[in-house]
């Protein structure tokens, strides 16, 4: 004997509520990115809402601390500080996860110098 009288109705109702929550969270993500000026930049992918989790690369701890409170009020965001980045960047977290899965901390640090927002320093003796 089941305690729940109409399990199908319950599942349907919960699914509907979850869809509304996801829609509202998407609106929060868009508002957050607009406030950071990311939606106006050409280098920011426009399909970021399709990603399961969005990786936000921040250039330093100051920026990280400034936007950290939003990490707790907006779902699907993951933050990484890349001291080699000059500005905030976003990526698909799954891409980050796949690339860093079998890397050591040192290898990840070296990788951040030229990818995930990192900018290679100009070498003056390359002549």
């Amino acid at each position: 004997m089941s305690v729940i009288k109409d399990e199908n109705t319950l599942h349907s109702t919960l699914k509907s509520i979850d869809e509304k929550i996801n829609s509202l969270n998407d609106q929060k993500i868009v508002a957050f990115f607009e406030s950071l000026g990311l939606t106006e930049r050409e280098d920011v992918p426009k399909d970021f809402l399709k990603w399961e989790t969005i990786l936000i690369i921040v250039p330093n701890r100051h920026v990280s601390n400034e936007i950290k409170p939003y990490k707790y009020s907006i779902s699907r965001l993951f933050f990484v500080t890349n001291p080699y980045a000059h500005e905030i960047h976003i990526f698909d977290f799954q891409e980050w996860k796949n690339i860093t899965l079998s890397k050591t901390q040192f290898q990840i640090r070296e990788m951040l110098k030229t990818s995930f927002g990192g900018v290679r320093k100009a070498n003056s003796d390359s002549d």
Side-chain angles (χ1 to χ4, degrees):
M1 180 173 187
S2 177
V3 178
I4 300 172
K5 297 191 189 284
D6 188 355
E7 199 168 338
N8 289 336
T9 302
L10 175 61
H11 287 291
S12 174
T13 302
L14 292 177
K15 183 178 178 181
S16 174
I17 291 169
D18 283 342
E19 288 171 357
K20 290 176 186 174
I21 290 171
N22 289 338
S23 174
L24 290 172
N25 192 66
D26 285 352
Q27 291 176 31
K28 289 165 104 177
I29 291 170
V30 170
F32 181 57
F33 286 3
E34 284 175 350
S35 72
L36 296 173
L38 295 175
T39 55
E40 299 164 5
R41 288 187 11 206
E42 292 292 324
D43 64 323
V44 174
K46 304 303 179 206
D47 63 344
F48 58 82
L49 289 176
K50 293 181 182 177
W51 300 336
E52 185 176 330
T53 304
I54 301 167
L55 172 66
I56 301 176
I57 301 288
V58 295
N60 57 53
R61 288 189 179 159
H62 173 73
V63 173
S64 180
N65 289 336
E66 189 176 330
I67 63 177
K68 187 184 280 186
Y70 300 101
K71 164 180 163 176
Y72 303 110
S73 64
I74 305 172
S75 299
R76 299 177 40 217
L77 298 180
F78 187 86
F79 293 83
V80 169
T81 302
N82 182 354
Y84 304 102
H86 294 297
E87 59 188 348
I88 297 173
H89 297 275
I90 65 167
F91 298 94
D92 183 352
F93 178 73
Q94 190 62 44
E95 179 185 352
W96 166 264
K97 190 173 157 186
N98 291 341
I99 290 173
T100 60
L101 187 61
S102 60
K103 301 241 187 287
T104 65
Q105 188 174 7
F106 175 77
Q107 289 171 320
I108 293 171
R109 224 174 308 140
E110 288 299 307
M111 179 192 68
L112 288 173
K113 290 180 180 178
T114 57
S115 56
F116 290 99
V119 178
R120 180 176 287 155
K121 290 183 180 177
N123 192 353
S124 58
D125 351 85
S126 62
D127 299 337

